[in-house]
Amino acid sequence: MNVSPTGRVVTLTANPSLDRTLALPGPLERGAVARLGASSTEPGGKGVNVARAVAAAGGDVVSVLPAADDDPIVHALHHLGLRLATVPVTVPVRTNYTLTEPDGTTTKLNEPGAPLDDVARTALTAALHEHAAGARWVVLSGSLPAGTPVDWYAQLVAALRDTGARIAVDTSEAPLLALLAAGPASAPDLLKPNTEELAQLAGVAEEDLLGDRDATLAAVRILHDRGVAEVLLTLGGDGALLSTDAGGLWAALPPAITVRSTVGAGDSSLAGYLLADLAGAPPAERLRTAVAYGSAAASMPGSAVPTPDQVDGSAVRVSTEAPSEARSAPPGTVTHSTAPANPSTPVPAPAAGRGLR
C-alpha cells in the first residue's frame, strides 16, 4: 500500500515496555507445563508501536518516553532507526508478556511500570511541547504509570494547543474518563476507543453496544458533544467506524485473515490513519488505511508492525454516508459502498471490541 506522508508525528509513551511474546503449543492450561515455541522481544508501549509503524512507512516521527540512556528499549529503538526524546529515569522499563495460542488467542501479562515523579513528568511535558511545535500530529497513547494524575492527558491536550499540532489520544479506564470530563479545552482532535472503552465513556455496559448500531452511534455522538472532532472506533474482526463532528460517518470491514497476534494491532490502525491523513487522504481512505494496517498487524507474530508493502487497502470494504445524510438518515443507512478488490475465504478473526487494540 503506497503512502507518502508529509509532516511530523510526535508520540508520547508514558509507560513504555519491552514486549516479550511467547508462543504456546496449544491452548493455555492453568497449572500445566508448556513447552514454548518461538519467542521474541520487541520495544513496545502503545505510543512506541505507533511510532514504529509510522517510521516503517518512511514517516517523520519522534518518540518521547521515559527511559535511561542505557535501557534496553533505547538500544532497541535506536537499532530500528527511531528518533527519540528520552527523559532519564532510574528504574528499568517494564516487561510485558504475551502468551499466544495457535488459533490467535492471546493472554497478556503486563507489569505496572515505574512511577513518574513530578520532575520526570515536567521534563516529559517540556520535551513533548518542544517537538510538537510545527508537527502535524501528537499522539498520547497507552496507560499511565502508577501515581500519575489521572487527568495528565487532559492537562497535556490543553497545554499542546498553542503548538498548532492536532492531537490523538488512545487510552482507557481512569485517564480516558478524566480526559472527557475535563471539558472541550482538553478534548482531542481524534479519539480511538474500542467498544469496551466507548461503553465506559457512555456509562453503559459493553454488551449494550455490541451488535446494536443505534446504541453505538448514540455513544459516539456523546464524544462529539464533549468536543472530540473525530472518533475512530475499532471493532476487532468487525472492522472500524469513523465519525466526525460534522456528521460524516464511514464504516469499514476488514479482509479475511489468519490471526497470529492482536497485540499492537490497534496501534497500527492508528498509525495507518495518521499516515493516510499526512498523505492528504479523505476520511474514507483514512479509515480504509487504518483497518488495512490493523489487519496486517494482526496477521503478524508478536507485536510486529507492518510495512506498507504488507498492507492491502484494496481488500478493505468501506461504506460511506454523506455528512447531511448521516445526520438525518437512520444509523446504518449506506449510500455508497466500495467493495474489496480481492475477496478471500473467511478465517478466524479477533472478537469484536478488543481484537484491534
Side-chain angles (χ1 to χ4, degrees), residues 191-210:
L191 191 66
K192 195 206 75 63
N194 58 28
T195 52
E196 181 181 19
E197 294 153 356
L198 181 63
Q200 292 173 0
L201 291 169
V204 300
E206 185 182 7
E207 292 72 21
D208 294 339
L209 300 183
L210 293 175

Side-chain angles (χ1 to χ4, degrees), residues 8 38 66 91 116 134 145 149 167 191 213 239 262 283 323 332:
R8 185 168 67 254
V91 179
L116 293 177
I167 303 166
L191 191 66
R213 188 176 178 86
T262 59

Side-chain angles (χ1 to χ4, degrees), residues 157 161 179-188 225-228:
V157 171
R161 288 297 184 202
L179 178 73
L180 271 296
S186 294
D225 290 343
R226 296 182 183 181
V228 179

Side-chain angles (χ1 to χ4, degrees), residues 1-353:
M1 187 171 195
N2 293 324
V3 289
S4 300
T6 302
R8 185 168 67 254
V9 175
V10 181
T11 69
L12 171 67
T13 310
N15 207 7
S17 61
L18 288 170
D19 289 345
R20 180 81 170 154
T21 301
L22 308 172
L24 296 170
L28 178 64
E29 295 183 43
R30 184 182 178 195
V33 175
R35 299 191 182 279
L36 300 173
S39 63
S40 63
T41 302
E42 295 170 291
K46 294 180 71 62
V48 165
N49 292 338
V50 172
R52 289 169 54 205
V54 171
D60 180 8
V61 62
V62 178
S63 185
V64 180
L65 68 156
D69 290 342
D70 60 351
D71 195 287
I73 195 173
V74 173
H75 293 306
L77 291 171
H78 279 314
H79 180 72
L80 293 174
L82 261 72
R83 187 148 56 108
L84 306 181
T86 58
V87 169
V89 292
T90 58
V91 179
V93 164
R94 64 182 176 145
T95 299
N96 291 340
Y97 300 88
T98 300
L99 308 179
T100 63
E101 301 175 29
D103 68 352
T105 300
T106 59
T107 301
K108 289 278 290 177
L109 306 172
N110 289 354
E111 293 183 344
L116 293 177
D117 59 23
D118 290 344
V119 173
R121 287 199 303 275
T122 299
L124 285 168
T125 300
L128 187 65
H129 196 278
E130 175 187 351
H131 289 282
R136 289 275 299 277
W137 281 97
V138 174
V139 179
L140 311 177
S141 194
S143 62
L144 295 177
T148 303
V150 296
D151 65 345
W152 193 40
Y153 280 152
Q155 296 175 31
L156 289 174
V157 171
L160 290 166
R161 288 297 184 202
D162 65 352
T163 66
R166 302 187 72 198
I167 303 166
V169 178
D170 180 11
T171 190
S172 60
E173 300 178 344
L176 180 61
L177 295 173
L179 178 73
L180 271 296
S186 294
D189 298 283
L190 172 65
L191 191 66
K192 195 206 75 63
N194 58 28
T195 52
E196 181 181 19
E197 294 153 356
L198 181 63
Q200 292 173 0
L201 291 169
V204 300
E206 185 182 7
E207 292 72 21
D208 294 339
L209 300 183
L210 293 175
D212 188 335
R213 188 176 178 86
D214 289 1
T216 297
L217 295 181
V220 168
R221 283 193 291 271
I222 292 174
L223 306 187
H224 291 316
D225 290 343
R226 296 182 183 181
V228 179
E230 299 173 5
V231 177
L232 176 62
L233 175 65
T234 52
L235 303 169
D238 294 328
L241 290 173
L242 173 62
S243 176
T244 70
D245 58 359
L249 180 64
W250 297 263
L253 291 174
I257 62 169
T258 298
V259 176
R260 299 186 66 183
S261 172
T262 59
V263 178
D267 306 325
S268 288
S269 291
L270 178 54
Y273 186 90
L274 299 179
L275 286 166
D277 181 76
L278 293 174
E285 293 307 308
R286 299 200 296 266
L287 178 61
R288 182 191 305 279
T289 308
V291 172
Y293 260 81
S295 297
S299 69
M300 301 171 70
S303 55
V305 300
T307 59
D309 60 0
Q310 295 171 311
V311 177
D312 183 9
S314 67
V316 177
R317 182 184 180 91
V318 179
S319 301
T320 311
E321 291 181 357
S324 61
E325 291 165 334
R327 285 190 293 267
S328 59
T333 301
V334 176
T335 60
H336 175 70
S337 177
T338 54
N342 300 301
S344 53
T345 302
V347 293

